[in-house]
PDB file of all heavy atoms in Angstrom:
ATOM      1  N   GLY A  15       6.747  11.939  -6.347  1.00 76.00           N
ATOM      2  CA  GLY A  15       6.142  11.651  -5.052  1.00 76.00           C
ATOM      3  C   GLY A  15       4.664  11.954  -5.066  1.00 76.00           C
ATOM      4  O   GLY A  15       4.142  12.543  -6.017  1.00 76.00           O
ATOM      5  N   PRO A  16       3.962  11.566  -4.022  1.00 85.00           N
ATOM      6  CA  PRO A  16       2.529  11.853  -3.923  1.00 85.00           C
ATOM      7  C   PRO A  16       2.294  13.347  -3.696  1.00 85.00           C
ATOM      8  O   PRO A  16       3.172  14.054  -3.212  1.00 85.00           O
ATOM      9  CB  PRO A  16       2.087  11.044  -2.706  1.00 85.00           C
ATOM     10  CG  PRO A  16       3.331  10.879  -1.899  1.00 85.00           C
ATOM     11  CD  PRO A  16       4.472  10.836  -2.866  1.00 85.00           C
ATOM     12  N   THR A  17       1.085  13.803  -4.029  1.00 87.00           N
ATOM     13  CA  THR A  17       0.743  15.203  -3.767  1.00 87.00           C
ATOM     14  C   THR A  17       0.206  15.390  -2.355  1.00 87.00           C
ATOM     15  O   THR A  17       0.202  16.497  -1.838  1.00 87.00           O
ATOM     16  CB  THR A  17      -0.314  15.728  -4.767  1.00 87.00           C
ATOM     17  OG1 THR A  17      -1.493  14.936  -4.638  1.00 87.00           O
ATOM     18  CG2 THR A  17       0.209  15.681  -6.189  1.00 87.00           C
ATOM     19  N   ARG A  18      -0.231  14.292  -1.752  1.00 93.00           N
ATOM     20  CA  ARG A  18      -0.766  14.357  -0.387  1.00 93.00           C
ATOM     21  C   ARG A  18      -0.463  13.043   0.326  1.00 93.00           C
ATOM     22  O   ARG A  18      -0.649  11.975  -0.249  1.00 93.00           O
ATOM     23  CB  ARG A  18      -2.269  14.581  -0.432  1.00 93.00           C
ATOM     24  CG  ARG A  18      -2.872  14.799   0.914  1.00 93.00           C
ATOM     25  CD  ARG A  18      -4.299  15.252   0.806  1.00 93.00           C
ATOM     26  NE  ARG A  18      -4.802  15.439   2.162  1.00 93.00           N
ATOM     27  CZ  ARG A  18      -6.050  15.611   2.463  1.00 93.00           C
ATOM     28  NH1 ARG A  18      -6.961  15.640   1.523  1.00 93.00           N
ATOM     29  NH2 ARG A  18      -6.435  15.759   3.704  1.00 93.00           N
ATOM     30  N   VAL A  19      -0.019  13.148   1.576  1.00 93.00           N
ATOM     31  CA  VAL A  19       0.287  11.972   2.393  1.00 93.00           C
ATOM     32  C   VAL A  19      -0.238  12.223   3.795  1.00 93.00           C
ATOM     33  O   VAL A  19      -0.057  13.307   4.353  1.00 93.00           O
ATOM     34  CB  VAL A  19       1.810  11.712   2.475  1.00 93.00           C
ATOM     35  CG1 VAL A  19       2.098  10.493   3.346  1.00 93.00           C
ATOM     36  CG2 VAL A  19       2.429  11.548   1.110  1.00 93.00           C
ATOM     37  N   ARG A  20      -0.886  11.204   4.350  1.00 96.00           N
ATOM     38  CA  ARG A  20      -1.348  11.269   5.737  1.00 96.00           C
ATOM     39  C   ARG A  20      -0.958   9.958   6.415  1.00 96.00           C
ATOM     40  O   ARG A  20      -1.165   8.890   5.855  1.00 96.00           O
ATOM     41  CB  ARG A  20      -2.864  11.455   5.793  1.00 96.00           C
ATOM     42  CG  ARG A  20      -3.325  12.784   5.247  1.00 96.00           C
ATOM     43  CD  ARG A  20      -4.843  12.941   5.208  1.00 96.00           C
ATOM     44  NE  ARG A  20      -5.602  11.816   4.697  1.00 96.00           N
ATOM     45  CZ  ARG A  20      -5.774  11.512   3.407  1.00 96.00           C
ATOM     46  NH1 ARG A  20      -5.205  12.236   2.486  1.00 96.00           N
ATOM     47  NH2 ARG A  20      -6.507  10.483   3.042  1.00 96.00           N
ATOM     48  N   SER A  21      -0.418  10.071   7.613  1.00 96.00           N
ATOM     49  CA  SER A  21      -0.048   8.892   8.397  1.00 96.00           C
ATOM     50  C   SER A  21      -0.826   8.915   9.700  1.00 96.00           C
ATOM     51  O   SER A  21      -0.935   9.970  10.336  1.00 96.00           O
ATOM     52  CB  SER A  21       1.450   8.894   8.703  1.00 96.00           C
ATOM     53  OG  SER A  21       2.190   8.886   7.509  1.00 96.00           O
ATOM     54  N   HIS A  22      -1.350   7.747  10.076  1.00 97.00           N
ATOM     55  CA  HIS A  22      -2.156   7.651  11.291  1.00 97.00           C
ATOM     56  C   HIS A  22      -1.840   6.352  12.018  1.00 97.00           C
ATOM     57  O   HIS A  22      -1.613   5.322  11.381  1.00 97.00           O
ATOM     58  CB  HIS A  22      -3.656   7.628  10.959  1.00 97.00           C
ATOM     59  CG  HIS A  22      -4.111   8.774  10.133  1.00 97.00           C
ATOM     60  ND1 HIS A  22      -4.406  10.003  10.666  1.00 97.00           N
ATOM     61  CD2 HIS A  22      -4.322   8.879   8.796  1.00 97.00           C
ATOM     62  CE1 HIS A  22      -4.783  10.816   9.697  1.00 97.00           C
ATOM     63  NE2 HIS A  22      -4.738  10.163   8.552  1.00 97.00           N
ATOM     64  N   PHE A  23      -1.855   6.419  13.341  1.00 97.00           N
ATOM     65  CA  PHE A  23      -1.840   5.185  14.117  1.00 97.00           C
ATOM     66  C   PHE A  23      -3.255   4.637  14.131  1.00 97.00           C
ATOM     67  O   PHE A  23      -4.218   5.372  14.353  1.00 97.00           O
ATOM     68  CB  PHE A  23      -1.375   5.438  15.557  1.00 97.00           C
ATOM     69  CG  PHE A  23       0.105   5.343  15.730  1.00 97.00           C
ATOM     70  CD1 PHE A  23       0.893   6.477  15.666  1.00 97.00           C
ATOM     71  CD2 PHE A  23       0.714   4.113  15.935  1.00 97.00           C
ATOM     72  CE1 PHE A  23       2.256   6.402  15.816  1.00 97.00           C
ATOM     73  CE2 PHE A  23       2.082   4.021  16.080  1.00 97.00           C
ATOM     74  CZ  PHE A  23       2.864   5.168  16.019  1.00 97.00           C
ATOM     75  N   ALA A  24      -3.391   3.359  13.877  1.00 96.00           N
ATOM     76  CA  ALA A  24      -4.678   2.662  13.961  1.00 96.00           C
ATOM     77  C   ALA A  24      -4.542   1.681  15.114  1.00 96.00           C
ATOM     78  O   ALA A  24      -4.328   0.489  14.919  1.00 96.00           O
ATOM     79  CB  ALA A  24      -4.999   1.950  12.656  1.00 96.00           C
ATOM     80  N   GLY A  25      -4.571   2.202  16.320  1.00 94.00           N
ATOM     81  CA  GLY A  25      -4.286   1.398  17.499  1.00 94.00           C
ATOM     82  C   GLY A  25      -2.815   1.537  17.841  1.00 94.00           C
ATOM     83  O   GLY A  25      -2.065   2.236  17.165  1.00 94.00           O
ATOM     84  N   PRO A  26      -2.371   0.864  18.886  1.00 95.00           N
ATOM     85  CA  PRO A  26      -1.000   1.048  19.362  1.00 95.00           C
ATOM     86  C   PRO A  26       0.076   0.413  18.481  1.00 95.00           C
ATOM     87  O   PRO A  26       1.236   0.810  18.556  1.00 95.00           O
ATOM     88  CB  PRO A  26      -1.016   0.399  20.746  1.00 95.00           C
ATOM     89  CG  PRO A  26      -2.114  -0.613  20.662  1.00 95.00           C
ATOM     90  CD  PRO A  26      -3.156  -0.019  19.750  1.00 95.00           C
ATOM     91  N   ASP A  27      -0.307  -0.552  17.630  1.00 97.00           N
ATOM     92  CA  ASP A  27       0.702  -1.307  16.891  1.00 97.00           C
ATOM     93  C   ASP A  27       0.503  -1.316  15.378  1.00 97.00           C
ATOM     94  O   ASP A  27       1.047  -2.170  14.680  1.00 97.00           O
ATOM     95  CB  ASP A  27       0.734  -2.761  17.394  1.00 97.00           C
ATOM     96  CG  ASP A  27       1.053  -2.852  18.876  1.00 97.00           C
ATOM     97  OD1 ASP A  27       1.881  -2.050  19.354  1.00 97.00           O
ATOM     98  OD2 ASP A  27       0.467  -3.708  19.556  1.00 97.00           O
ATOM     99  N   THR A  28      -0.255  -0.364  14.849  1.00 98.00           N
ATOM    100  CA  THR A  28      -0.499  -0.322  13.411  1.00 98.00           C
ATOM    101  C   THR A  28      -0.423   1.115  12.918  1.00 98.00           C
ATOM    102  O   THR A  28      -1.016   2.012  13.517  1.00 98.00           O
ATOM    103  CB  THR A  28      -1.894  -0.895  13.063  1.00 98.00           C
ATOM    104  OG1 THR A  28      -2.001  -2.211  13.620  1.00 98.00           O
ATOM    105  CG2 THR A  28      -2.100  -0.970  11.567  1.00 98.00           C
ATOM    106  N   VAL A  29       0.314   1.309  11.826  1.00 98.00           N
ATOM    107  CA  VAL A  29       0.405   2.618  11.184  1.00 98.00           C
ATOM    108  C   VAL A  29      -0.161   2.481   9.775  1.00 98.00           C
ATOM    109  O   VAL A  29       0.184   1.550   9.041  1.00 98.00           O
ATOM    110  CB  VAL A  29       1.864   3.117  11.104  1.00 98.00           C
ATOM    111  CG1 VAL A  29       1.958   4.421  10.319  1.00 98.00           C
ATOM    112  CG2 VAL A  29       2.450   3.277  12.487  1.00 98.00           C
ATOM    113  N   VAL A  30      -1.045   3.412   9.407  1.00 98.00           N
ATOM    114  CA  VAL A  30      -1.624   3.454   8.066  1.00 98.00           C
ATOM    115  C   VAL A  30      -1.171   4.746   7.403  1.00 98.00           C
ATOM    116  O   VAL A  30      -1.342   5.832   7.969  1.00 98.00           O
ATOM    117  CB  VAL A  30      -3.170   3.408   8.115  1.00 98.00           C
ATOM    118  CG1 VAL A  30      -3.754   3.496   6.712  1.00 98.00           C
ATOM    119  CG2 VAL A  30      -3.641   2.142   8.815  1.00 98.00           C
ATOM    120  N   VAL A  31      -0.579   4.606   6.221  1.00 96.00           N
ATOM    121  CA  VAL A  31      -0.138   5.763   5.449  1.00 96.00           C
ATOM    122  C   VAL A  31      -0.984   5.805   4.179  1.00 96.00           C
ATOM    123  O   VAL A  31      -1.005   4.842   3.416  1.00 96.00           O
ATOM    124  CB  VAL A  31       1.363   5.673   5.095  1.00 96.00           C
ATOM    125  CG1 VAL A  31       1.800   6.914   4.317  1.00 96.00           C
ATOM    126  CG2 VAL A  31       2.204   5.486   6.349  1.00 96.00           C
TER     127      VAL A  31
END
Side-chain angles (χ1 to χ4, degrees):
T17 60
R18 186 170 180 192
V19 179
R20 294 176 315 281
S21 300
H22 305 278
F23 271 95
D27 301 323
T28 305
V29 175
V30 178
V31 181

